[in-house]
Amino acid sequence: MKIGMVGLGKMGANMTLRLIRGGHEVVVTDLSADNVKHSAADGAIASSSLDDFVNKLGKPRVAWLMVPAGAPTEQTAQALAQKFQPGDILIDGGNSYFKDDIRRSKQLKDKGIHYVDVGTSGGVWGLDRGYCMMIGGPKEAVQQLDPIFKTLAPGRGSIPRTTGREKMSGTSEDGYLYCGPSGAGHFVKMVHNGIEYGIMQAYAEGFDIFVNATSKELPEEQRFNLNVADIAEVWRRGSVINSWLLDLTAIALAANPTLSEYSGFVPDSGEGRWTIQAAVDEAVPVDVLSAALFTRFRSRREHTFAEKVLSAMRQQFGGHLEPGTSAKKTA
């Protein structure tokens, strides 16, 4: 299948390469000419401008946006909408606010253009592991894109089948799911990221307790000089709290148990705030998720080992660097 990729950052470039390896033709464009050259060297079809990009797409045209949420996505979507024709499909695979999806889908529907929102999880590891995708939009357009989703998704792999799903059908076991109409995909991804905040915070606080177990405020017989890297590792082996986030924490702690290269300044990318707002709108109590978000706010004023663990996890799974930190410094 022929598809265009707009945005060749950490995820966009890897998704392009995974699609190429899966036998798809991918036309690429990016603000960075070097990024376009790198993807072209991997087998992508380079374009020199947005007009050139659109002209090189097949019909019906399919373009996947992998650019930062907010103004960049809005501007790019509107620019492509001016060049697309009825029957074309525009996919937003970033972390847009689901309410923006609903608004954009209505605008594009008037022009006969299909708008599909795809919450995409997988980070910098997705090239090899595959991407978990939560999809919203017109069902007929989503069905047309199934070969793309199937290639990007992890597939069933070696994960044991969930008891009780033997007679169930669908694609969720393959790693992608049609969640509903426009906005539903990013709504599910939004809550996914809110939960991610909570899980990360729980790990971070636990390791902070370990690091402070030598406190002079404790009776001497209750002080423990614990090896946090080994604890993370042993928890990976049969523990009920094992997870991929723990795997990534273990990697970071094995490299440097003190995490001294991190300040503990932890940004939030928006989805956590939106999750809390959705909870407020629905009158749903979210004690853990809200506390995790507020802890990130606090991290920008004072830094504990917990914040360093969070920074380490964010870099490990998504390649996210702390503000003012170079890739070379953390390599």
Side-chain angles (χ1 to χ4, degrees):
M1 185 172 178
K2 196 169 193 178
I3 185 172
M5 182 67 70
V6 183
L8 299 171
K10 290 173 292 192
M11 287 183 66
N14 281 348
M15 292 171 73
T16 295
L17 183 53
R18 188 172 174 92
L19 287 169
I20 292 169
R21 290 176 177 176
H24 300 278
E25 288 185 278
V26 187
V27 183
V28 296
T29 185
D30 190 87
L31 293 176
S32 167
D34 285 341
N35 286 351
V36 173
K37 288 180 182 178
H38 289 154
S39 286
D42 289 330
I45 302 169
S47 63
S48 57
S49 66
L50 204 57
D51 284 329
D52 187 36
F53 171 78
V54 172
N55 290 335
K56 287 180 176 177
L57 294 174
K59 293 185 179 181
R61 300 178 183 89
V62 178
W64 186 302
L65 307 187
M66 210 64 195
V67 298
T73 294
E74 185 69 30
Q75 293 165 6
T76 307
Q78 296 300 336
L80 284 173
Q82 298 301 316
K83 304 175 188 300
F84 272 24
Q85 298 175 350
D88 292 345
I89 302 174
L90 186 60
I91 308 163
D92 178 5
N95 281 324
S96 291
Y97 191 28
F98 76 96
K99 293 183 180 180
D100 289 334
D101 293 318
I102 295 171
R103 171 181 53 79
R104 277 196 288 265
S105 68
K106 290 178 179 178
Q107 292 175 342
L108 296 182
K109 185 178 181 180
D110 292 339
K111 298 181 178 182
I113 300 170
H114 303 298
Y115 180 88
V116 176
D117 55 286
V118 182
T120 311
S121 180
V124 296
W125 299 76
L127 174 60
D128 298 317
R129 289 171 57 101
Y131 301 89
C132 172
M133 290 167 289
M134 296 138 271
I135 307 160
K139 184 171 287 189
E140 62 275 14
V142 172
Q143 290 172 340
Q144 284 181 247
L145 299 169
D146 192 72
I148 296 296
F149 298 137
K150 189 177 291 293
T151 298
L152 290 172
R156 300 199 176 191
S158 59
I159 299 175
R161 196 166 200 188
T162 299
T163 302
R165 292 201 62 93
E166 294 81 6
K167 295 183 180 180
M168 296 182 184
S169 59
T171 61
S172 59
E173 290 180 280
D174 294 304
Y176 64 104
L177 176 68
Y178 176 68
C179 300
S182 295
H186 277 147
F187 183 83
V188 174
K189 177 57 160 55
M190 174 189 76
V191 178
H192 163 285
N193 282 28
I195 292 171
E196 178 186 294
Y197 281 28
I199 295 173
M200 291 171 69
Q201 187 63 35
Y203 282 133
E205 291 177 7
F207 282 100
D208 205 12
I209 293 171
F210 292 150
V211 167
N212 286 282
T214 57
S215 172
K216 293 181 181 180
E217 300 298 317
L218 297 169
E220 188 172 353
E221 68 273 14
Q222 294 179 21
R223 299 175 197 169
F224 304 111
N225 187 9
L226 300 167
N227 187 316
V228 290
D230 283 350
I231 291 172
E233 188 61 33
V234 76
W235 280 355
R236 297 181 62 230
R237 316 288 173 169
S239 166
V240 296
I241 62 169
N242 183 29
S243 74
W244 186 44
L245 286 172
L246 180 62
D247 293 344
L248 300 177
T249 304
I251 291 172
L253 291 173
N256 182 359
T258 68
L259 301 181
S260 57
E261 69 269 39
Y262 300 99
S263 71
F265 185 108
V266 187
D268 68 287
S269 55
E271 298 91 336
R273 301 185 190 210
W274 299 335
T275 300
I276 304 308
Q277 185 58 57
V280 170
D281 293 343
E282 299 172 12
V284 174
V286 284
D287 302 38
V288 171
L289 304 190
S290 58
L293 175 65
F294 297 152
T295 298
R296 293 196 176 201
F297 295 162
R298 182 181 60 76
S299 80
R300 298 162 205 174
R301 299 186 179 185
E302 56 180 290
H303 305 308
T304 67
F305 192 78
E307 273 92 45
K308 292 185 178 185
V309 173
L310 288 174
S311 287
M313 280 191 277
R314 292 184 81 250
Q315 183 181 341
Q316 289 293 332
F317 74 69
H320 305 297
L321 301 178
E322 293 178 332
T325 303
S326 67
K328 182 177 181 181
K329 179 181 177 182
T330 58

